[in-house]
Amino acid sequence: MILGIGTDLANIDRIQGTLDRFGDRFRNRVFTAVEQAKSERRRDVAGTYAKRWAAKEACSKALGTGLRMGIAWKDMAVSNLRSGQPVMHVTGWAAERLAEMTPPGHEAIIHVTLTDDHPWAQAFVLIEARPISAVPLSPAVSPAVPD
């Protein structure tokens, strides 16, 4: 079941201007150390920050709050799997909100996708609730088949 959907479009040039004007003050207020390290390693630094900015906005919308009600920028963070797939992590108030909106007997899965085409960066976040199965199915635990 879908619990929330959010999308956001960020202007990379606007993010570059904010980085130029506020530098570390902006970086440290909005982005985690992991996000900053990833962004600073990339050729398109501003584009990488813009995608993460858009992801945070999209996640806050999927949580049904926008950036209000106590949610902080760093309560939502994007990292990447080895394959490059982005993953959204929530902590603090965002994690509390996610727990509140997740029905009993379900686990919340946050799906995120990012893209950019200068001057735009876009993110789409979908929050899914999956039932938690009482007994996980595993090939090693399959029932015996009578002869």
Side-chain angles (χ1 to χ4, degrees):
M1 121 185 29
I2 296 174
L3 298 179
I5 299 171
T7 188
D8 192 67
L9 187 66
N11 185 288
I12 296 169
D13 294 332
R14 181 173 151 253
I15 296 296
Q16 181 64 64
T18 303
L19 288 165
D20 293 344
R21 184 169 178 199
F22 298 104
D24 285 342
R25 184 171 154 212
F26 171 65
R27 284 181 194 89
N28 294 331
R29 178 173 178 241
V30 176
F31 302 101
T32 66
V34 170
E35 291 174 309
Q36 289 181 48
K38 171 77 172 185
S39 298
E40 296 297 328
R41 281 195 309 267
R42 301 297 300 264
R43 185 169 38 99
D44 183 10
V45 172
T48 305
Y49 277 120
K51 285 186 281 190
R52 278 147 179 75
W53 171 279
K56 291 168 185 275
E57 288 274 7
C59 185
S60 71
K61 292 171 185 175
L63 289 168
T65 64
L67 287 161
R68 57 183 173 89
M69 296 176 56
I71 201 165
W73 286 104
K74 288 184 177 182
D75 285 348
M76 303 163 289
V78 177
S79 65
N80 295 85
L81 299 177
R82 286 184 178 265
S83 65
Q85 177 185 347
V87 180
M88 178 66 69
H89 306 275
V90 294
T91 58
W93 194 90
E96 291 173 21
R97 171 67 181 143
L98 183 61
E100 287 173 8
M101 61 193 287
T102 304
H106 289 74
E107 64 178 337
I109 312 292
I110 303 175
H111 303 276
V112 61
T113 186
L114 308 173
T115 191
D116 65 292
D117 187 7
H118 196 88
W120 301 108
Q122 183 178 28
F124 186 82
V125 172
L126 183 136
I127 302 175
E128 170 190 12
R130 287 188 192 158
I132 299 171
S133 57
V135 179
L137 297 177
S138 167
V141 190
S142 57
V145 180
D147 291 35

